[in-house]
Amino acid sequence: MEHILVAVAWPYANGPLHLGHIAGAYLPPDIFARYHRAKGNRVLMVSGSDSHGTPITIRAEQEGVTPAEVVDRYHLQFLDCWEKLGISFDLFTTTSTPNHARVSQDIFLTLLEKGYIYKNSVPQQFCPNCQRYLPDRYVEGTCPLCGSPGARGDQCDSCGKPLNSTELGNPRCRICDTTPLIRESEHFFLRLSAFQEPLRKWIEAQQHWRPNVLNFSLRYLDEGLRDRAITRDINWGVPVPVEGYEDKRLYVWFEAVIGYLSASIEWASGDEARWRPFWSGDARVYNFIGKDNIPFHTLIWPAMLMGYGGLNLPYDVPANEFLNIQGRQLSTSRNWAVWLPDYLETYDPDPLRYYLSANMPESGDTDFSWQQFYSRNNDELVATYGNLVHRVLTFVHRHYSGEVPQPGTIDAEGQALLDKAAATLDTVDRALAECHFREGLRAAMALAQEGNRYLESRAPWKSVATDRE
């Protein structure tokens, strides 16, 4: 029996979930967790609403409500969606719990004591109109690396590079569109550069990672890791536990990844004997995320764990690519998305789970279209798998009182099908263990097709009248 920690990306509680979220980060871990539970392993699957990101404070200011009201609204919506879609979290919490604050502050103070966190004054964007320092996501401008005009102050979505807001060209305040000024502000920094070589040694050994994750991470190391600020001038978030810094908060990208640990502790009600086995020894930690979060989970979070000590690093980071919508890149700002609550008002979960599994963006971006959704449900899920199940079960109920009879002599054709079934179980087992969900589903559906062909060739509904055995 193994201990398997399924650690799932934390969605910002600033808007509804869409199908890109599900295909990228939420359906894969649910399949994986169910697989390991079926094998008899000890599984803990945790995540929660990211309560402290600046997308939440921006939404709150736009609506004239508090950030807590925004978080509460969408957290409840997330919980409803998980139940309807069948996403089987052991715990889906939030980063606004006292437990999460305690765990985050403990890691901060430990890294500070060990010299992996230090203070430094840095230039920061200040909005003269709003009269405040601007957290990175409050600033938009031109990416200095790829030239994209819509880059955020923390990251460019076009090229995926983490940024500092002062690096942007033509910067503007997202709230009032004013050009900000540069002013000095003192912050705490994570000494990420100290982990350059330990991270390289560790990452180069992870040959079971997906090529895109491995290569993406190594490219960052080749460019050289830079120390990063882990606090910000804002009043919403986990307080910095150092006297004199009461007006600052831990940066969301620093404390959100700590949520995997704090959620494990919360699930165990603080009992170390329950949560520690998922973080030590032979236990394996899997971080399921979208590709835009790769560096945070293969570089920054492992560096924090190395500095803190005593906890396992991620065993695998099976990051998925993006799901496009009918040939166009998904965009929440332009409302080009299929929102999960809207889908669940009209359709059952299984057609979507099947379609996204068969079309999962594991090695490259894939596309969602309503035409494909209908055809794959009707022509595959219903016509192949559903047809096989329906024919077999109705036949057994009609002719054998709902009990599977003892088989008679099995001929070569029947034995070939049994051998195919055994081989398929091995194929699916291996595929799911390695997080290759499309491959596992293809093998299962191929077996269903073989089963249908066997029934057609045997036509038992005809022979049962003359040869019941």
Side-chain angles (χ1 to χ4, degrees), residues 53-209:
T54 48
I56 293 159
T57 57
I58 290 172
R59 163 80 72 158
E61 291 182 12
Q62 290 171 340
E63 295 183 1
V65 298
T66 66
E69 289 175 291
V70 173
V71 171
D72 289 346
R73 182 200 320 158
Y74 287 109
H75 181 66
L76 290 175
Q77 188 183 90
F78 293 167
L79 292 173
D80 182 60
C81 286
W82 302 143
E83 182 178 1
K84 290 177 179 176
L85 191 58
I87 305 298
S88 55
F89 284 111
D90 292 291
L91 177 68
F92 188 82
T93 180
T94 75
T95 58
S96 53
T97 65
N99 168 74
H100 176 71
R102 281 194 302 271
V103 176
S104 299
Q105 290 170 340
D106 171 60
I107 288 183
F108 174 90
L109 290 172
T110 300
L111 294 175
L112 180 65
E113 181 182 352
K114 291 184 175 183
Y116 294 123
I117 289 176
Y118 63 93
K119 289 183 284 187
N120 192 24
S121 291
V122 294
Q124 193 166 330
Q125 304 281 15
F126 181 87
C127 180
N129 185 52
C130 297
Q131 280 295 298
R132 65 178 178 183
Y133 286 102
L134 297 177
D136 284 349
R137 285 210 179 198
Y138 277 64
V139 186
E140 286 187 348
T142 303
C143 176
L145 300 166
C146 72
S148 173
R152 302 191 310 265
D154 64 340
Q155 183 172 331
C156 175
D157 287 339
S158 294
C159 66
K161 295 289 187 180
L163 299 170
N164 292 315
S165 63
T166 53
E167 298 175 308
L168 293 175
N170 304 311
R172 62 187 180 278
C173 172
R174 283 190 60 176
I175 301 301
C176 68
D177 216 33
T178 298
T179 300
L181 307 173
I182 301 295
R183 290 188 181 177
E184 292 287 317
S185 180
E186 188 173 60
H187 285 281
F188 288 90
F189 277 67
L190 175 65
R191 202 181 298 276
L192 197 58
S193 57
F195 298 95
Q196 171 87 24
E197 291 310 313
L199 283 171
R200 180 179 291 279
K201 183 178 179 180
W202 172 67
I203 289 174
E204 287 178 344
Q206 309 307 313
Q207 294 302 312
H208 57 282
W209 284 9

Side-chain angles (χ1 to χ4, degrees), residues 36-50:
H36 275 287
R37 292 182 190 124
K39 291 197 73 173
N41 289 326
R42 291 292 306 276
V43 176
L44 177 59
M45 178 171 160
V46 295
S47 184
S49 296
D50 190 337

Side-chain angles (χ1 to χ4, degrees), residues 302-314:
M304 293 162 60
L305 289 169
M306 287 178 177
Y308 186 73
L311 300 172
N312 285 359
L313 302 186

Side-chain angles (χ1 to χ4, degrees), residues 229-251:
I230 59 169
T231 57
R232 57 183 177 173
D233 294 293
I234 197 171
N235 58 9
W236 176 248
V238 176
V240 175
V242 177
E243 187 176 352
Y245 294 87
E246 291 79 8
D247 59 339
K248 298 183 189 291
R249 297 293 182 268
L250 296 182
Y251 211 156

Side-chain angles (χ1 to χ4, degrees), residues 198-389:
L199 283 171
R200 180 179 291 279
K201 183 178 179 180
W202 172 67
I203 289 174
E204 287 178 344
Q206 309 307 313
Q207 294 302 312
H208 57 282
W209 284 9
R210 292 178 179 174
N212 64 322
V213 177
L214 185 62
N215 295 334
F216 199 80
S217 304
L218 289 174
R219 282 200 302 272
Y220 270 98
L221 289 168
D222 290 341
E223 294 169 5
L225 297 181
R226 295 181 297 172
D227 298 349
R228 296 196 66 179
I230 59 169
T231 57
R232 57 183 177 173
D233 294 293
I234 197 171
N235 58 9
W236 176 248
V238 176
V240 175
V242 177
E243 187 176 352
Y245 294 87
E246 291 79 8
D247 59 339
K248 298 183 189 291
R249 297 293 182 268
L250 296 182
Y251 211 156
V252 65
W253 63 258
F254 176 84
E255 53 98 353
V257 290
I258 298 173
Y260 305 126
L261 176 61
S262 68
S264 303
I265 295 172
E266 182 182 343
W267 166 82
S269 300
D271 183 354
E272 187 169 354
R274 291 185 65 205
W275 68 260
R276 177 70 70 173
F278 289 99
W279 284 92
S280 61
D282 294 331
R284 287 185 290 171
V285 180
Y286 292 79
N287 285 112
F288 285 87
I289 58 170
K291 68 177 179 181
D292 51 336
N293 279 321
I294 289 174
F296 298 100
H297 291 78
T298 63
L299 298 169
I300 295 173
W301 177 226
M304 293 162 60
L305 289 169
M306 287 178 177
Y308 186 73
L311 300 172
N312 285 359
L313 302 186
Y315 173 78
D316 200 0
V317 185
N320 271 0
E321 305 284 313
F322 291 150
L323 181 76
N324 297 322
I325 304 295
Q326 296 186 178
R328 290 166 51 190
Q329 186 174 0
L330 189 151
S331 172
T332 57
S333 62
R334 293 190 295 271
N335 201 32
W336 186 249
V338 178
W339 304 103
L340 184 60
D342 294 342
Y343 171 90
L344 292 171
E345 285 183 3
T346 306
Y347 298 105
D348 289 329
D350 286 344
L352 181 65
R353 291 180 65 110
Y354 173 76
Y355 176 52
L356 293 182
S357 298
N359 196 35
M360 194 169 284
E362 294 175 357
S363 57
D365 292 354
T366 58
D367 190 66
F368 174 93
S369 76
W370 287 109
Q371 181 60 44
Q372 277 194 343
F373 170 71
Y374 298 144
S375 63
R376 298 202 84 149
N377 177 73
N378 298 342
D379 300 341
E380 297 174 18
L381 184 60
V382 174
T384 300
Y385 184 78
N387 184 45
L388 174 64
V389 171

